[in-house]
Structures are given as C-alpha cells and as structure tokens.
Amino acid sequence: MFLVSLTVFVLIQLPPGDFVTSWAAQAAAAGEEVTPAMMEEMRRRFGLDQPLIVQYFAWIGGVVRGDFGYSFEWNAPVVTLLGERMGLTLVVTVSTLILSWCIALPVGIYSAVRRYSLLDYSFTFIAFVSLAVPGFLIALILMYMSVKMFNADVTGLFSPEYANAPWSWGRVKDLLAHMWIPVIILGTEASASLIRIMRANLIDQLHMPYVVTARAKGLTETKLLLKYPVRIALNPFVSTLGWTVPRLVSGAVIVSIVLNMPIAGPMLMQSLLSQDIYLSGAFLLLLCLMTVIGTLLSDILLVVLDPRIRVQ
Amino acid sequence: MANLRGGIEYASQWTLMWHRFRKHKLAVAGMVVVALFYLIALFAEFFAPFDPEEANSRLTYHPPQSIHLFDKDGFRFHVTGYRLERDPNTLKPVFVEDDGRKTDLTLFARGHKYKLLGLIETDVHLIGPKDPNERFFIFGADRMGRDVLSRTIYGGRFTMSLGLVGVCISVLLGISLGGMSGYYGGKIDWVVMRVVEYIISLPTIPIWLALAAALPKNWPPHLQYLGITVVISLIGWTELARVVRGRFLAMRGEVFVIAAKLDGCSESRVIFRHMLPSLASHIIAAVTLAVPFMILSETSLSFLGLGLQPPSISWGVLLKEAQNIRSIASAPWLFIPGACVVLAVLSLNFMGDGLRDAADPYSH
Amino acid sequence: MADNVNTNSRGAGDVILDVRNLKTHFGDDDKAVRAVDDISFKLQRGKTLCIVGESGSGKSVTARSILQIVDYPGKIYGGEILYWGDQQVKSGQPLDLAQLHPRSKQIRSIRGHEIAMIFQEPMTSLSPIHTIGSQISEAILLHQNVDKEEARARSIELLRRVEIPNPAVAIDKYTFEYSGGMRQRAMIAMALACNPKILIADEPTTALDVTTQAEILALIKELQQAYGMSVLFITHDMGVVAEIADEIGVMKNGKMLEFGPAEQIFYTAQHDYTKELIDSVRKLETSARKARKSTITDKKLLEVRNVSKIYPSRKSFLGKASDPFKALDNVSLDLYEGENLGIVGESGSGKTTMGNCLIRVLEPTSGEILFKKSNGNISDLAKAGKSELRQVHREIRMVFQDPFASLNPRMTIGQIVGEPLLVSGLASGKELRERVGKLLETVGIPSAAMERYPHAFSGGQRQRIGIARSLALNPRLIIADEATSALDVTLRSQVLDLMLDLQEKLGLSYILISHDIGVIRYFCDRVAVMYKGQIVETGEAGLICSTPEHPYTKALISAVPGTHPRDKRIVNRHRYVADAAPGKAVA
C-alpha cells in the first residue's frame, strides 16, 4: 500500500511544471496578466515550493487521517468532490463484475461440456470479437445506435432532473435505468475473457480420474458435473478476480469519459490535464486501493474454497 | 506416437508446427489479414490515393462513394459524384447523389509526389482519378474534407508499427527479466515476480493516463510516438515475462536439460541450444498475442487525446474525430478506422491462438 | 484363441459376469482405434479373475466398458456383457450391460451398487477438495435409503474395516492429508460402501511401493472372502497375478490371447506371448551376473563417506516451522572397478537423492565422495569446482528413468548423442557423424536413423539412445536411475542385457538405482538397501535377496510377489512396523 501511494505520488508529480504553471498558462491565454511574484505566492500557499519528499509526507499524512487535500481547480476539499463519484464507480464496477460472472459461468460450463458444438463455436467467436473491440468503441456504437433508432441520449448516469438532486427512490430508479449501458459495455469484455478461462479450466478438469471415480459411483451426469469438475474449476476462476477488478476499473475510466458519466473517469482525466495533483492523486490512490482490495478478496475467497490452501 | 510414418519422422519442429498451424483455418485467415495490413502500412503512400493532410472545406463530411465497374454504356471504372445542396428547411448543407457527375478512376494513377520507402521518388498510386484534380471518397471525408481512406491507411502505419515497436520493447524486457527469473530462480525470481504482480494489480488505464499526461504536449511527433510506445510497453511486458518465466521454470527441471548440463554444456549453450528452441514457438505465440494489446492501448490513449496528437495520424487519433455524438450521427463512416482496429486485433488474436495451439499441441 | 471360452454358452450357474465378443472402439469410421477387439471371458462368483497385459493392450478399456464409463469418443461397438446379479438369477434372465445407455438410470443403479470400481492413481482418483468422508457417504446416500447420520456412521465403520487408524478423525480429512496407501484404502472403502457383488480393480497397486502393494493385495483378498465378492483385477504385473488370480486372461493389442485357470496359464501356457511374459519375470528372479565372467577388480573406484543431504526447515504460512528433512543421513558406500552396485529402496528412501548427489545435480550438505579418475588422481566430488566437475562428468555418466523426457524433442537423435562429443571438442563434422553412427550401432539402433527426432522411436529404443549418449565420452562409471522402470517387462531384461554386454566390452562400472528387487537381483553384484535416508544393509546381491538380515529388508523382500500361483508369498510376508509413520510402512 505504501508502494502504491508512493507510485501514485511520483506519477502525479511527473509532468513538468505544476498546477501553477498550467493555471498561469490558462490565465495568460485568457488574457490575464500573471506576474512571477503571483506565481511564487500561489506556490507558497499550496506548499508547492517544499521539496518533494516533504510534500509526499504532508499528503500521505493527510490521507491517513482522511484528509485528501484541497483541489486547486475546484476550490473545494477533494473529499467532497470524490465522495459520490467514487461511490458510483464502485457501484458500476461491482454490478459489472456480478453481471459478467452471471454470464461467464453458465456459458463457460456449457462451452466446456459441449465442446466443438455449434453453440460453443458461436460463443467462442462472440468472445473473440468482443475482446477485439475496445470498450470505448462499443460505447460509441451504442450511442450512435440509440440516437439513430430511439433518438435517445444514453450519456450520463442520471436524467437531467435527477442529476443534482439528493438521493431518493426516484433517483435510484433513474440510476438503474441509465446504468445498464456502461455495465453492459464493461461486462462484455470481462465476460469474454472469463468465459474462455472457465472453459479452459473446466476442460482440464473434465477428464481427471476423480470424475471417472464419481461416475463409477453411479452419480447422474448433471450432479456429477456440478459437484466435482465445476466446483474445482471454480478455484482458478476465483483467482481471476485479482486481475478482473483492475481491468474493470480501467475500462470504467475510459467508458465513463466517452459516456460522460459522473464517476471517477472524467474528473480524473481533467485533474490530470490541469495538474490538480491532490485531486488526481486521490483518484489514483482510491482506484488502486479498489484493485488491491479485489486481489485481497480473491485470495480470501480462494482460502475459503480450497481446502488445500486452507489446511497447509 | 512412436509410429508416425512418412515424412513427419524427419520433419523438424518448425515444419511440424507449420503443419498444425495450417489446420486452423481462422488462424491462417488471420495471418493473411495481418500480412495485408502490414503490407499496406509499409507502402502507405502507394496505397493511399490522396495526401491525408489535404483539406477542402467544401467537401466537409462528404459521404462515401462506392466504386462501379460498369454504367449503361458498358465498362467504365468510376464513382458517382455528389452535389452539395442546402436543405430547404434547416438550411444545412446536404450531399445529394448526382447521376450526371461521374469521376473516372484508373489503377496506377498519377497523383501527389512522394518517396516510396523514403528512397524512390514517384507519384504513382494504386488507385486514383484519371484527372489528378478530381476527388473521390471511398470511405467518405471528415470534418475538414480530408479523405478518410487515405487517413486510415496512414493511421494504420502508425498504429500497426507502434504495436510492433512496443512489442519489441516488451519482449526485450519480458524475455530478459522473465528468463532470468525462471532460469536462476531464488532471490532474482522473487524480486522480478513481486514487481510483475505489483504492476499487474494496478489499474492500467488511470496509470497510463497519468504517464501519458506527463509527456509534454509540445514534443515533435516522432518523440511523442516513442514516448507513447514506452509508456505502453512499461505495462505490457509483465504478461510476457510471466509466460517466459513459467516456461523457463518448467523447463529448468526437465530431464533433458539436466542431461545437457551433464553433457558438459556451458550455461549459455544450455539456454540457447537446448532451452530456447523449445521456447521459441511459445514466445512467438505470446508475442503475437501481445501486439493486439499494444494496438488497443494506443487507440484508447490517442482516443482520449493523451496519446498521439494531431497532426500525427493514428487510428486512435482518427477515432477521436468520432467522439462527439453530433459527428457520428451525421457521418457514421468516421467509425471505419475503428472497424480496422477490430479487424486487426481479431486477426492477430486468431493468428496468435493458432500459433499457440500449434506450438503446444498437448496443452489442451 | 477366444473360442475355447465360449464352449458353455448357456451362462448362469456360478458365472456372475459373462462377457461375449465385446468390442469397444474409439471413433466411428474405419480409422477407429479398436481398443477392445472381440474379447470374451467369464467371471466366476466369489473368484478372482486377472486380466494381464502391457500398456496399450486394452485391459483398462475392457474394465471400463463393463460399467460403461469409457471416455469419449470410446463406445461399445458390439458384443454382450451379461450380468447375473441376485435379481437376475432369481428371474433367470441376465442383464446385458452393453445394451444400457451410458447415462441411463439402470446403469447408474448398477455402478457403485452392484459393481464397484477402484483405480490406479489414488491421488487423482479422489476429489482434492472434498473430505474423504463426504466421498464415501455419497455412495451410500446414492444407493441406500439412509439419512446423513447413518451414512456417516457407516463410512466410519468402513474406514475401520480397511484398517485406517483413528477412523472417526480420518473421515473429515482431505485426500492430500492421506498417504498413498491410505488413499487406496479409502478408495476401497468407498467401493465397498454398498456391498457390491463385483469389485473391478484397475491397476490398484501400480502406483504404490511394494510393501504397500502387499498390504493392499492382502486386504482385497481378505475383504473378498468376507463379503463374498467377485474380483476383476486388471494389472500388468505377472507377480501380482500369481499372488491373487484364480483365473487369468492375457490381453495384447485389444485381443484376448489366452484365458484359463491360473495354474494352467503359469505352468502350461499355450501362447508364445504368455510364455514370454512369464519368462521375462522369471528371468528377473535369477542373476545374470553370475552367469557371466566376473569383471570385478579389487581397485576402489568410488568411495562415499558419511554423505548427508539435509533440507533446512521451512516456515509455513502460519509460522510453524517444519523439522529439517534429512533426505540422506550419513551414507557411506564403496564401489570397485568393474562392479555393479544396486541401490534399492521405496519411494522417499533417498535413493534418487543419492544418485543426484553422486553426480552433483544436487549439492550434498556434508561428507566426501572420493572418485578415482582415469589418470589415477582422486577427486572429492562433494567439493569439486566447476572445471573439475566438467572433467569428472566425462567419466561418470547418467542414464535417466523417463526415456520420453530425457531426450530433447527439438533435436535429432544424432545431435543428442553427439552433443557431449561436440561440446567437449572431441569431434566435429564428418568424424562426429561417424562416431555417433558407431555409438548408435553399439546399442542396436541403425545409424541411418540419425536424422530422426526422438518421437519416432518407441520407449525401449529411446532408452537405448539414452545409453548411447552416456557412452559417447568413454565413461568409466554409469549411474542408472530407475533406467528400466518406465519400460514394459518384456523390454526390461533386454535393456539390462545390453548394459551388461557393454560392460564386458568397455570395462564399465554401474550404479543401478531401483525400487525393483527383480532388476537389482538380475543386474547387480552387491546391493545397498536404503530406508528413510539411511543405508540399512549392504551385501552380496544373492544373499540380500534370499536371506536378508535387517527386519526392513526382510519385509521388503517378502513383499515382492513371486511367479508361482502355488506359492502365495504375500500371505506369509513380514511386516515391518518399527518407527513407521502412520500409513507408510504399515499402510
């Protein structure tokens, strides 16, 4: 975690110049006069004149206390900007994860058991295609089709009337009505790779001797399939959680930029471009944290599922 | 297995692999498409009918025209022209097909001058209007009236070559680090694997965004190109390193490797003569599967405006044009570079999968 | 051939399973592999039938065909499998298992209930993530109308019946917590869960050590009598057959070559192949060294002094440190020039570690390995540096167990055999080709085959190629680690004879590492018996194999099955229980 925070900090400090220079450039473009003295004054106020290592510890010390710093650009504490957006990011990511599992598990099992059947081939082909289409392109195509066919705008996560409204049942319903689009876009790619993994795992297990043993006991094929090979193929499947989560988070960022959704993506990008370091740092840190938690979760789940790891 | 008759007994590993590869129809098709793409990218100037930068504000969002070989008078290689009118209600400019206007086309037409491969000066293009001053748009025109076909071809050059260059960097990092890690094991392995795990657990796109945002915007195109490639490869090498490490690790314990050591082979001979030939096919397959990753990464980054910047042309840059809903609603042909991305990635994936199966027929 | 089997076609009576003209093919068309090709046999009620054959003979597919659990694309193509269970005897009408659909309810009610099966690999044949208890109760719950409590109680009883210590605790353990012998016992418990009429055992002892094998065979025998089961026993080992069979069927290439009572097969075999099988086992009950002129000298070639190999303790996930593991514990040995020394032991005894330490594939922790080089100097291999080792590796060569894994599939056999000559700069170009050709001829491979890749050769041929590679540098000592155990029994003595011929021609010494007493007795002058990292006994091969001193050696030797059905030795075996870990030597 310390390593992650350090990486994040180095990353956001990497661009040449700082917020003040980019702010000054903008101001100059707008025709305002910016004197070097003003810039120095601003730097001092934000603490940007300190050596990097001091800045880092000041920042991370704040983070540990729950203080993510102050956004230069929005003139507001980072926490307030972050709160709802991160929450919604989490909601979108988790629902996508659930959706992709719900698709990948049955399809993967079917494909493995009925290998080389027509449906298996079609699933495999669809999976291949959806792996090849970048998420933002699906988003664009969906946007295009919804405009052409329904003349509806699918961007955003809320209808205009709910966008800034406080939480209510109506708002939740509105969210659900909008959320299916990013979830489907993100889910396609995730399910595609998960299907292939489940299929390969299960095919490996299907011919293990213990399956023959169970069959020789007189179990029905369905029960046998679910109790033994599928159950065991689940273990490597669960461990994919470790890398599906980072991928989903990545995908969510780019898709949300295209669809202009009020989650982490667009604001992260904006803050990166304007070198609003505390805001972008907080975003990066939390996104990384989400993936670390995902990995941790998959490890825990694996221990629960697999006695070989639990006992030894 | 012991009774393989005929020529196969004498066939080398590569011939065997080729035999197995040929059985995958999709993989072979993928290879043909990939080869075609790289060929076009290499001779982009020849294949593109026009200069990709040549703008014409009168031809903004000119729709695509299809090529006809015949008209009512018999053979005539041409496209049907459009006339610019204004919609009587909205006063928006609209292109209307005009049967009276036909642009004759010819193969190996004369057009703007260029240097083929940077060496031979010529002005021959694969296809073009008979009259060099005419214009035609198979893929339509963009916001500034530039030919999307020519731009797609030039963009392919950037994107596809970036894939290759990026993979080269990844391969260098991946094979040397993964190989070291797998062959020596122990502490080196521990350190390399922790680094790999750490990088894999990071969400790539935000990190890329941050890295790419760190690249100065005012760099010249070739530096940008290099910068983006390095940024992408820095993340991309991990998967390759894992594959190579796994293979080395498995092979290090193989009895025939121990036998080679006992035969008195030096360390480098064990690695290069005995281990690498068995690994080469796997590595090639892994590399093939890594190229699409690079292509997708470049496209995504440039699409967000954090990768290559205009005036450089890549598929990602072209797709940026299609970003807002107004332009895609009125000019859906701006998606064509996206279709190229999908086709290229798909073909590379099929080819890579075929290669992997051919390299390791017993793994499934 | 099979005709004499079919004389009594009316069936019933004492026959419980009557297989007629069974054909199981893999694939549908003309190119289908006929794994089982028109075989017939009868299993008598309460008796043991052994089907014996080498790898690829179709014996396993025969066993699986009976329960219709042949892997796709295998399918019963024709013939009858007539089952005379209690019900069928009552009704006078047999049940033809071959006619049932593999997924039908009927065949499922036979599987595990009337006919149960145990398999070769007890590790992979049991689910890794379910407890042993749940796997046994499953069979009970499936076929009998009892609740979970009752099923659990019965499972514990079954575990006790197969002599698993502390069954009430062992029932909740997982497969990986059991030792090999215990796993096979658990498998047997599972098979017995519903008092089956027939037990099909598919190579159940092949993966086990010889002492454990004896225990399992005795257990099966005892349970068979107690439960009145009929047993169909599949094996490749004629010794096992001699111990347990009432009747024997000999299979090769999917055909049943010969079928009859055990004594008839063993003493008056009709078919040449059967004779060859029995002869090759009996041959290994003699010593080939005594028949040849002795090459032994009194010059010491190798002296091993107090060598130990200790793996340091490891901290586990929870911080529990394991004890350091002594793979080799203070081992000393001598080898004279021209002598064949055998190192015998069961899995985990440290014999392979021993071989690997001698040639420094592994680093010994302490001790000396003194080797007398051809120039008369003595070198301590335990401490030798890189260049010193490289020289010694020309004189000491190794032949490996697995003829498939030890040859690089990417190189031609010419390149493989020539590699040591090439890297040590002894020959190149045309001369290299000539020497490689000669080496191949020496081991009986035509030199014209030099350009071929290993996959074009059979297991026996590959092992010959491996031997040719070891001869390339004119070695003085060859360490052969289980060099014949991957080969079928008929090939074993051939490869051993080749090695002995080469010894006379080239003045070699051998260290042969093996778990197989027969191979050791045939090949070696002296034997060292290893047990848990220590050498418990060393002596002249003939003496060790007939009148061993140490109690472990006694147990080991007495557990080796003989080749005479009239002399069933396993019943009278010694059991060595000294300080054995649960489930190991006691199994």
Side-chain angles (χ1 to χ4, degrees), chain A residues 157-196:
Chain A
L157 268 183
F158 299 104
S159 315
E161 65 266 31
Y162 285 112
N164 290 311
W167 281 104
S168 66
W169 264 115
R171 198 168 187 235
V172 171
K173 268 191 233 158
D174 189 51
L175 172 66
L176 290 178
H178 279 82
M179 211 174 65
W180 62 271
I181 292 175
V183 166
I184 284 184
I185 294 168
L186 291 171
T188 342
E189 201 187 335
S191 331
S193 45
L194 287 179
I195 286 173
R196 298 188 59 193

Side-chain angles (χ1 to χ4, degrees), chain C residues 3-247:
Chain C
D3 302 326
N4 57 340
V5 182
N6 256 347
T7 43
N8 174 16
S9 57
R10 283 286 303 143
D14 279 342
V15 175
I16 187 159
L17 195 70
D18 186 358
V19 176
R20 299 177 182 184
N21 305 99
L22 179 69
K23 293 176 190 150
T24 305
H25 293 185
F26 285 77
D28 275 330
D29 48 3
D30 298 336
K31 275 185 273 177
V33 180
R34 300 176 177 198
V36 177
D37 194 5
D38 197 6
I39 70 163
S40 306
F41 61 87
K42 283 183 182 129
L43 176 60
Q44 307 287 330
R45 211 171 287 276
K47 299 279 187 195
T48 302
L49 165 64
C50 279
I51 294 186
V52 65
E54 298 188 331
S55 45
S57 61
K59 54 190 193 302
S60 263
V61 180
T62 307
R64 286 167 191 224
S65 298
I66 293 170
L67 283 181
Q68 294 244 25
I69 50 171
V70 186
D71 277 337
Y72 181 86
K75 229 174 87 185
I76 295 184
Y77 196 71
E80 295 169 307
I81 303 170
L82 303 178
Y83 172 63
W84 292 93
D86 292 346
Q87 255 183 321
Q88 286 77 16
V89 171
K90 227 179 272 168
S91 68
Q93 206 41 259
L95 178 66
D96 186 358
L97 302 180
Q99 293 300 322
L100 301 178
H101 189 271
R103 290 171 156 236
S104 65
K105 207 176 163 198
Q106 256 180 311
I107 190 81
R108 285 207 315 270
S109 67
I110 299 281
R111 288 178 193 160
H113 188 204
E114 308 258 326
I115 305 179
M117 190 156 176
I118 56 178
F119 298 90
Q120 173 175 353
E121 277 289 341
M123 179 71 210
T124 49
S125 294
L126 290 167
S127 163
I129 56 162
H130 295 90
T131 61
I132 296 284
S134 81
Q135 294 182 66
I136 298 177
S137 332
E138 184 180 37
I140 300 174
L141 291 168
L142 208 58
H143 297 292
Q144 285 167 12
N145 195 14
V146 296
D147 62 5
K148 279 194 172 168
E149 292 290 309
E150 173 71 16
R152 186 182 161 85
R154 284 200 205 176
S155 302
I156 295 177
E157 186 47 43
L158 280 164
L159 287 178
R160 179 169 297 125
R161 191 72 191 77
V162 295
E163 296 169 30
I164 289 206
N166 209 351
V169 176
I171 189 168
D172 289 322
K173 299 262 181 207
Y174 291 95
T175 317
F176 57 86
E177 296 173 271
Y178 275 44
S179 71
M182 272 167 71
R183 285 182 202 133
Q184 199 55 282
R185 283 168 192 270
M187 278 288 285
I188 294 173
M190 197 156 79
L192 293 179
C194 303
N195 297 333
K197 297 282 167 296
I198 301 178
L199 177 70
I200 302 178
D202 186 359
E203 303 250 16
T205 59
T206 307
L208 304 176
D209 280 328
V210 60
T211 46
T212 319
Q213 162 173 294
E215 299 289 331
I216 295 288
L217 289 178
L219 177 70
I220 292 178
K221 202 85 209 164
E222 188 232 332
L223 291 171
Q224 174 179 20
Q225 273 151 20
Y227 286 76
M229 281 185 305
S230 314
V231 175
L232 178 64
F233 200 100
I234 313 289
T235 181
H236 69 282
D237 186 339
M238 276 315 251
V240 171
V241 176
E243 294 294 334
I244 60 164
D246 296 311
E247 284 188 298

Side-chain angles (χ1 to χ4, degrees), chain A residues 9-20:
Chain A
F9 190 73
V10 169
L11 270 177
I12 54 177
Q13 288 290 356
L14 213 53
D18 52 32
F19 174 70
V20 177

Side-chain angles (χ1 to χ4, degrees), chain A residues 37-55:
Chain A
M38 273 171 76
M39 287 170 66
E40 276 316 303
E41 165 62 24
M42 273 184 78
R43 286 213 174 90
R44 223 187 34 193
R45 223 174 65 214
F46 292 138
L48 294 178
D49 53 348
Q50 304 281 328
L52 279 185
I53 190 81
V54 177
Q55 286 191 42

Side-chain angles (χ1 to χ4, degrees), chain B residues 101-349:
Chain B
R101 291 177 54 178
K102 285 181 176 154
T103 312
D104 288 308
L105 302 179
T106 178
L107 289 177
F108 304 109
R110 304 264 156 186
H112 67 279
K113 282 192 194 311
Y114 62 91
K115 278 187 175 174
L116 194 64
L117 294 176
L119 296 173
I120 313 151
E121 190 154 341
T122 174
D123 59 356
V124 177
H125 299 263
L126 178 66
I127 191 170
K130 269 193 183 146
D131 174 2
N133 293 322
E134 289 274 349
R135 289 286 171 270
F136 74 103
F137 301 100
I138 297 177
F139 285 178
D142 68 0
R143 190 166 42 87
M144 297 168 72
R146 293 172 296 197
D147 178 29
V148 174
L149 173 64
S150 303
R151 291 179 69 76
T152 307
I153 289 176
Y154 276 83
R157 163 181 283 181
F158 257 101
T159 303
M160 300 290 284
S161 69
L162 191 138
L164 275 193
V165 176
V167 159
C168 287
I169 300 177
S170 298
V171 163
L172 277 182
L173 274 171
I175 292 188
S176 50
L177 286 176
M180 256 169 34
S181 176
Y183 187 79
Y184 293 107
K187 284 205 181 78
I188 299 179
D189 184 38
W190 192 87
V191 172
V192 173
M193 280 340 278
R194 289 300 86 75
V195 172
V196 168
E197 271 171 27
Y198 169 64
I199 293 183
I200 284 181
S201 75
L202 294 175
T204 45
I205 292 215
I207 303 292
W208 271 334
L209 290 181
L211 275 175
L215 296 177
K217 293 280 175 299
N218 47 6
W219 271 6
H222 63 275
L223 266 184
Q224 266 182 31
Y225 176 85
L226 208 70
I228 295 298
T229 318
V230 170
V231 164
I232 294 174
S233 327
L234 277 182
I235 308 255
W237 66 275
T238 49
E239 190 54 42
L240 213 61
R242 278 222 302 206
V243 173
V244 172
R245 169 186 177 266
R247 292 283 161 188
F248 261 94
L249 213 58
M251 195 158 282
R252 195 174 55 150
E254 288 275 351
V255 185
F256 72 81
V257 173
I258 297 174
K261 279 186 196 158
L262 292 180
D263 280 348
C265 295
S266 62
E267 204 152 85
S268 60
R269 193 175 169 87
V270 170
I271 295 179
F272 290 106
R273 181 76 183 86
H274 293 267
M275 292 172 81
L276 267 186
S278 306
L279 294 170
S281 49
H282 297 285
I283 292 175
I284 288 175
V287 166
T288 319
L289 289 172
V291 179
F293 171 78
M294 300 280 162
I295 292 181
L296 285 177
S297 316
E298 185 279 331
T299 319
S300 310
L301 276 183
S302 302
F303 173 76
L304 291 178
L306 286 166
L308 293 171
Q309 306 288 333
S312 306
I313 308 172
S314 79
W315 286 340
V317 173
L318 292 179
L319 279 172
K320 195 168 174 349
E321 294 271 319
Q323 196 176 26
N324 67 65
I325 202 135
R326 201 192 75 81
S327 54
I328 53 171
S330 55
W333 53 89
L334 292 179
F335 274 137
I336 287 173
C340 292
V341 172
V342 174
L343 192 62
V345 170
L346 207 55
S347 311
L348 278 161
N349 272 339

Side-chain angles (χ1 to χ4, degrees), chain A residues 3-4 7 11 16 128-129 132 134 136-137 140 143-144 147-148 196 250 253-254 257-258 269 272-273 284 287 291, chain B residues 198 201 203-207 209-211 214 296 299-300 303-304 306 322 325 328-329 332 335 338 345-346 350 353 356:
Chain A
L3 221 55
V4 170
T7 319
L11 270 177
F128 254 119
V129 174
F136 67 86
L137 203 61
L140 281 178
M143 265 163 69
Y144 171 70
V147 168
K148 275 275 151 178
R196 298 188 59 193
S250 287
V253 168
I254 191 164
I257 293 173
V258 176
M269 174 134 145
L272 278 170
L273 287 176
L284 286 175
L287 291 179
T291 67
Chain B
Y198 169 64
S201 75
T204 45
I205 292 215
I207 303 292
L209 290 181
L211 275 175
L296 285 177
T299 319
S300 310
F303 173 76
L304 291 178
L306 286 166
I325 202 135
I328 53 171
F335 274 137
V345 170
L346 207 55
F350 279 136
D353 253 33
R356 191 178 48 193

